[in-house]
Amino acid sequence: MSQQTVLITGATAGIGRTTALHLAAAGYRVIATGRRSQELDRLRAEAPAGSELHTQVLDVTSTESIEAAAAEVARLTGGHGLDVLVNNAGFGVMGPVSELSDADLRRQYDTNVFGLMAVTRAFLPAMQKRGSGRIINVSSIGGRVTFPFMGAYNSTKYALESLSDAMRYELAPFGVQVVLVEPGVIRTEFADTAMGPVTRFAGTAYGPAIAKAETLRTRMEATAVGPEVVAKAIHRAIASASPSARYVAPRFGHLMLAALNITPTRLLDWGFRRVSFLTRKELAPVSAPQPLAAAR
Ligand SMILES: NC(=O)c1ccc[n+]([C@@H]2O[C@H](COP(=O)([O-])OP(=O)(O)OC[C@H]3O[C@@H](n4cnc5c(N)ncnc54)[C@H](OP(=O)(O)O)[C@@H]3O)[C@@H](O)[C@H]2O)c1
């Protein structure tokens, strides 16, 4: 089989970066994309000798940026287009859902959902025309279960799960396969990006619980594994002649999902509230709500 061309979004860090290097070493022609051009330069310099790793600036929320990347892919592949698109770029807005602004929710959906779909639409026509291609969407275990203070992020991954299921049915007749990769807790820059701004909720009823969120983060990070596990799962999803609909990485995530599925909701709620300090005594007093008329 001739060399396959794979484009990865969000390859300046974490899972995307590791996957770019892993696939380049495995003999794929990789187009690693991201917003930080300096990081892309560093990535290119780290590519294994003899491998083919190209880089391209791509912000998934920018139409112009997507168009420029699509033009570069057409040029690089002589009009063939991508064999595989890995939609990996994403981040998490953390915080109590009721305290998040419209702007928070919009920027979360702009990258994780609308950006991903815009990139997909840009590269899909060449796949449909050829009658072959594969789209790997990096979702999360958090696309199957919701964690406290992660509702906004989790909801984007739930959306991605559903959109991917629909595309899997709808694109199969065109020879295009859609696969979900669902990482568990992975050691990357993700937590720093997500947890950085949560101190802004200090003045809300959730302030004391949020202040302790660092403890929760430390507990979760104790179970974290390196991004190579996800890079390997993505590789399996690309290389398989007949890929599964979902790849959980690491594989023991299946056990967690199975356990969560059979746990009664009341018990699950109790557990989640306990570990994230969502008990009445941990909440700061809430000032009396303003009557609607007075609030206007
Ligand atoms: N780490 C985990 O525990 C975990 C678990 C489940 C799922 N995931 C998913 O795995 C994917 C990769 O996350 P990660 O853990 O590798 O986090 P990371 O180390 O923070 O990397 C995220 C990547 O996404 C990029 N990105 C963010 N917004 C972008 C945009 N608008 N356009 C292009 N690129 C953008 C970042 O680029 P910049 O350098 O430009 O910011 C970075 O390269 C995400 O979809 C995440 O939801 C992660």
Side-chain angles (χ1 to χ4, degrees):
M1 193 195 235
S2 61
Q3 190 185 33
Q4 288 195 297
T5 304
V6 183
L7 183 142
I8 306 169
T9 65
T12 52
I15 293 169
R17 183 176 218 285
T18 304
T19 303
L21 292 171
H22 179 94
L23 294 178
Y28 292 89
R29 177 203 268 166
V30 173
I31 307 173
T33 71
R35 293 180 298 187
R36 288 180 280 171
S37 53
Q38 262 188 337
E39 286 303 325
L40 293 176
D41 292 345
R42 279 194 342 125
L43 181 59
R44 225 174 27 245
E46 268 179 49
S51 66
E52 202 179 337
L53 191 151
H54 305 265
T55 56
Q56 168 71 32
V57 172
L58 172 55
D59 177 344
V60 304
T61 64
S62 156
T63 308
E64 298 78 50
S65 183
I66 295 171
E67 281 170 1
E72 180 55 17
V73 166
R75 189 194 66 76
L76 205 61
T77 62
H80 173 88
L82 296 178
D83 296 296
V84 182
L85 167 63
V86 181
N87 281 314
N88 163 76
F91 76 104
V93 168
M94 299 294 151
V97 168
S98 57
E99 300 291 338
L100 296 177
S101 64
D102 259 10
D104 289 325
L105 289 174
R106 281 183 205 283
R107 74 189 176 89
Q108 181 69 106
Y109 274 79
D110 274 349
T111 298
N112 293 12
V113 179
F114 291 106
L116 181 147
M117 287 306 302
V119 171
T120 301
R121 283 193 302 271
F123 294 106
L124 191 53
M127 294 183 182
Q128 288 176 302
K129 195 168 153 206
R130 284 196 320 262
S132 70
R134 201 164 288 186
I135 297 168
I136 316 282
N137 289 333
V138 179
S139 175
S140 171
I141 290 269
R144 313 268 295 274
V145 57
T146 302
F147 300 97
F149 303 135
M150 294 179 74
Y153 170 71
N154 289 157
S155 72
T156 64
K157 296 299 188 182
Y158 271 68
L160 178 56
E161 294 271 332
S162 177
L163 291 167
S164 301
D165 282 339
M167 286 193 284
R168 194 175 64 252
Y169 320 136
E170 293 161 6
L171 296 177
F174 293 96
V176 177
Q177 290 135 337
V178 179
V179 180
L180 281 155
V181 171
E182 301 169 325
V185 185
I186 311 296
R187 217 171 295 114
T188 65
E189 293 177 14
F190 182 87
D192 291 329
T193 310
M195 294 300 290
V198 295
T199 46
R200 71 192 165 110
F201 302 108
T204 74
Y206 298 99
I210 292 284
K212 291 181 180 167
E214 273 298 315
T215 323
L216 182 60
R217 173 182 166 177
T218 314
R219 276 188 221 165
M220 285 186 76
E221 281 182 354
T223 67
V225 297
E228 188 66 28
V229 170
V230 187
K232 286 181 182 160
I234 292 173
H235 189 181
R236 282 199 302 279
I238 294 173
S240 168
S242 175
S244 303
R246 289 175 167 78
Y247 289 77
V248 177
R251 283 185 170 120
F252 65 70
H254 279 295
L255 288 179
M256 189 186 104
L257 286 173
L260 291 174
N261 272 337
I262 56 166
T263 308
T265 304
R266 275 175 198 278
L267 183 59
L268 213 51
D269 285 6
W270 177 83
F272 276 145
R273 288 177 53 203
R274 289 281 302 201
V275 296
S276 48
F277 311 101
L278 282 168
T279 58
R280 200 171 276 272
K281 75 174 168 37
E282 299 282 357
L283 296 182
V286 185
S287 50
Q290 299 292 310
L292 275 183
R296 268 191 215 117

